[in-house]
Every structure is written in C-alpha cells, then in structure tokens.
Amino acid sequence: MQGVRVERVSGDRRERDDVLWFAGYLEGEGSFILDKARPGILTSRQPRISVSTTDFDIARKVAAILDSTVSKPYVPKKVNHSQFYKVELTGSRSIGWMMTIYLLMGIRRKKKIRECISVWKSAPVMQSSISKLWKKSKYERLVEQWSMQLGLL
C-alpha cells in the first residue's frame, strides 16, 4: 500500500499559520535525523525530518504542509500499542524546512538542526539534486524566501 498524497490549501496567511503550527508540532513530536551513510546506497549522511502519530488527521496535515505523503499505517509489534502513521522528508527539502523553523525551535532542536545543516553542506552535490532545484513549488519558494530573510541561507 502506498502513502496518501494530500492537497494543500493555498494562501499566504494559511501558509504562515501552517509554518508556525508545524514548528510547534515538531518541537514536541518531531525528529531531526541524520541517516547513516551506507556503502552502495547512501554516499553521505542524509538529513531527515520525521513525524510519527497515531492520529491520521494530524499526519495528513503534516503531509500537506510538507507536500509529502502519509505512510501506510504501521501495526505495532506490542499488543497494547496503537497503529501509527509516519510522514518523512529527506535531503535538501528537509534542510529548507529546518532553516525555516530554526528560530522557532528550542535549544536542543536548534543544536540538532545545526548539525544536520553542517553535514548537509559538507556533502558532495549530485547532479540529480541540482535538477530538482529547478522544480520548486510556490510553497518551497516561499520557504526559501523566509529562510533568506531570517539569514539562514
């Protein structure tokens, strides 16, 4: 079963409110991760934003904000645990979000974001990554603009 794609509602006010809501949600429930490099699969460590929740409506909202997908429900191995959904974003797009919400995060999250950005900056750029930069959505351009205004780019 593939993930569920969610449509975004456009509008600058809505997008700003989404960014603020998302930052608050990540502060409490999200993870900023550096995947380990694996020979033949990942040549360098990849940054990732990950959210897991038992609430499908929240997973859909996060996926809509990130222009991502909601994973199929994960069935827990322990009987007394609930099924949950994951939304993840990796690579340059996750870095863009980290830069955007950086000033809204607490000390511990800021430290992890700085680590992710530092590793990402030192990684070699692949040609496929460059071509993806030309296909930015309006929302991604807005995130980039805010990041530049905040001095994070």
Side-chain angles (χ1 to χ4, degrees):
M1 178 179 183
Q2 291 185 345
V4 177
R5 182 149 300 275
V6 183
E7 297 297 321
R8 286 241 356 106
V9 176
S10 63
D12 290 344
R13 169 87 180 172
R14 170 67 188 217
E15 291 169 350
R16 188 198 64 154
D17 291 349
D18 284 348
V19 170
L20 297 174
W21 178 88
F22 182 58
Y25 188 76
L26 277 180
E27 181 64 49
E29 299 294 329
S31 298
F32 301 100
I33 301 166
L34 277 168
D35 290 332
K36 294 180 180 178
R38 295 176 296 215
I41 299 171
L42 288 175
T43 57
S44 62
R45 298 174 73 191
Q46 291 292 309
R48 178 167 38 112
I49 294 174
S50 181
V51 171
S52 297
T53 179
T54 57
D55 300 315
F56 184 66
D57 61 321
I58 297 297
R60 281 179 51 113
K61 183 171 182 170
V62 170
I65 291 169
L66 293 178
D67 191 23
S68 186
T69 58
V70 178
S71 69
K72 63 182 179 181
Y74 287 89
V75 179
K77 295 176 183 172
K78 295 184 179 180
V79 177
N80 59 341
H81 291 184
S82 300
Q83 76 176 14
F84 63 95
Y85 305 91
K86 281 181 114 175
V87 179
E88 294 184 319
L89 192 65
T90 59
S92 299
R93 291 181 59 212
S94 69
I95 290 294
W97 273 103
M98 290 179 202
M99 290 178 179
T100 300
I101 62 176
Y102 178 81
L103 294 177
L104 302 170
M105 296 287 102
I107 293 169
R108 184 171 57 93
R109 303 279 187 190
K110 283 180 177 178
K111 180 179 177 185
K112 187 63 178 186
I113 289 171
R114 284 193 306 271
E115 178 188 359
C116 289
I117 291 170
S118 175
V119 168
W120 173 76
K121 279 183 171 180
S122 66
V125 177
M126 296 174 55
Q127 189 61 37
S128 62
S129 298
I130 294 171
S131 66
K132 288 179 186 175
L133 293 175
W134 295 104
K135 299 177 183 175
K136 292 181 186 172
S137 68
K138 174 188 170 195
Y139 195 65
E140 289 171 314
R141 287 191 301 271
L142 183 62
V143 168
E144 185 178 79
Q145 179 185 0
W146 286 345
S147 296
M148 287 173 32
Q149 288 173 353
L150 295 173
L152 297 172
L153 280 180

